Amino acid sequence: MHRIRLRTLALVAMLGLAGPLAAQTLRMMSFNVRLPVASDGPNRWEQRRDLLVRTVRERHPDVLGTQELYKLQGDYIVGTLPDYAWFGEGRYGGDRDEHMGVFYRRDRLRLLDSGNFWLSDTPDVPGSISWGHPLPRMVTWARFEDRRNGRTFYYYNTHFPYRDQDTDARNRAAQEIAARVAGLPPHAPVVLTGDFNTEPSSQAHALLGGVLRDARQAVAHPDGPEATFHDFTGTPDRRIDWILVRGFRPLDYATVTTHEGGRYPSDHFPVVTDLEWDTPAK
């Protein structure tokens, strides 16, 4: 009986610590969900959507930044995960085509402001293209308030051009985002998620590293494979999905390899990190 009482007291103590700790951390997830195309055959959206929802549910991020998301996918996800809301605009404007869809826990975060800009010479023009790549590329951003402590942070989500010849376009995109971050209040916390279609050895990563730090590189023992793109094989070959931060200390980092047999929720592994605010609340 004495042992049971001690165990109970220990459990209560742990639970007591869990509340304040949770109030000081945020969980971020980045996930290229793969657009819904019939040519994917057994990997088409209808065959993997519930596995994708399960992957998100199990990790339960406070914010989930997606790439290649279409509206029907976003609506399905929040229809099965009602704790979340989502927003975003199609890369041609309106609801057309790919969205940089941002999902957030309504019980945890309050959306204060949001918007979009395009990675081009005319960033305020929906669907605008510059720098020689064939498709519009954009950023969906938000300013959130943490309901538990009243603290605020900025959030950006993006998808860079993918072709080998798009190196200059990726660098210009990185410069545009870095300039936007540099223009924020100097101590404002920031999170950037995305599919950057290039590896951490690239100039684009270095440019962003001038204002943000790579969450995976900031932790001693990241979990899971380093690479994230696997083309539905389960064997990744490149780390092109990143989470970059300012004003937070990454506590952990994982590449999530959830699957059912040979089926995967996407052709990318999602990545997730728990972030602690760098400075205590005032």
Side-chain angles (χ1 to χ4, degrees):
M1 181 67 70
H2 182 64
R3 288 181 182 175
I4 293 174
R5 185 171 180 273
L6 287 177
R7 289 173 184 167
T8 302
L9 289 173
L11 178 60
V12 169
M14 284 191 293
L15 291 174
L17 289 173
L21 178 62
Q24 298 304 317
T25 62
L26 289 165
R27 176 167 289 185
M28 300 289 163
M29 190 176 202
S30 185
F31 203 166
N32 182 318
V33 301
R34 176 63 179 171
L35 72 166
V37 288
S39 59
D40 279 343
N43 295 312
R44 64 189 182 276
W45 169 246
E46 293 79 10
Q47 297 298 315
R48 56 186 174 83
R49 61 188 182 183
D50 291 328
L51 179 57
L52 188 144
V53 166
R54 190 190 101 192
T55 302
V56 175
R57 180 187 293 115
E58 288 175 351
R59 294 291 170 159
H60 203 211
D62 296 308
V63 181
L64 164 65
T66 63
Q67 304 85 40
E68 294 196 26
L69 182 90
Y70 276 55
K71 185 177 185 299
L72 68 90
Q73 294 174 297
D75 291 345
Y76 184 84
I77 291 169
V78 295
T80 51
L81 295 175
D83 290 346
Y84 290 87
W86 84 278
F87 60 90
E89 185 172 348
R91 61 181 170 186
Y92 291 96
D95 289 331
R96 179 185 170 195
D97 211 272
E98 176 189 15
H99 295 56
M100 301 296 102
V102 177
F103 298 75
Y104 66 97
R105 282 177 51 188
R106 295 179 296 164
D107 65 327
R108 180 68 195 271
L109 297 172
R110 179 179 291 109
L111 180 63
L112 301 178
D113 198 6
S114 65
N116 307 279
F117 61 89
W118 275 257
L119 297 170
S120 74
D121 290 332
T122 53
D124 296 326
V125 178
S128 57
I129 304 172
S130 302
W131 315 328
H133 56 91
L135 299 169
R137 298 292 176 175
M138 65 181 295
V139 173
T140 292
W141 64 270
R143 183 168 175 259
F144 287 110
E145 179 185 68
D146 189 330
R147 293 180 183 272
R148 298 187 187 186
N149 54 32
R151 304 182 74 170
T152 63
F153 65 97
Y154 289 88
Y155 178 80
Y156 293 77
N157 182 48
T158 193
H159 187 187
F160 279 12
Y162 69 94
R163 302 179 307 173
D164 290 343
Q165 61 265 43
D166 292 331
T167 297
D168 181 63
R170 287 189 289 270
N171 292 343
R172 291 191 180 212
Q175 288 173 333
E176 174 65 23
I177 294 173
R180 297 264 177 163
V181 172
L184 296 175
H187 300 294
V190 182
V191 178
L192 167 65
T193 60
D195 171 3
F196 295 88
N197 273 311
T198 189
E199 298 186 74
S201 58
S202 66
Q203 185 179 354
H205 189 277
L207 289 164
L208 291 168
V211 292
L212 302 166
R213 59 175 173 165
D214 189 319
R216 191 180 199 279
Q217 295 176 347
V219 303
H221 302 290
D223 184 53
E226 180 176 3
T228 56
F229 178 72
H230 62 91
D231 197 23
F232 289 115
T233 67
T235 304
D237 62 359
R238 290 173 289 153
R239 182 163 86 91
I240 60 177
D241 302 273
W242 315 332
I243 301 175
L244 307 176
V245 303
R246 183 182 82 178
F248 292 102
R249 182 170 69 89
L251 301 177
D252 50 41
Y253 192 96
T255 301
V256 181
T257 60
T258 301
H259 62 282
E260 289 180 351
R263 179 164 294 155
Y264 290 84
S266 178
D267 56 347
H268 290 238
F269 289 140
V271 291
V272 62
T273 185
D274 290 310
L275 303 176
E276 183 178 57
W277 301 87
D278 256 355
T279 56
K282 295 181 181 180

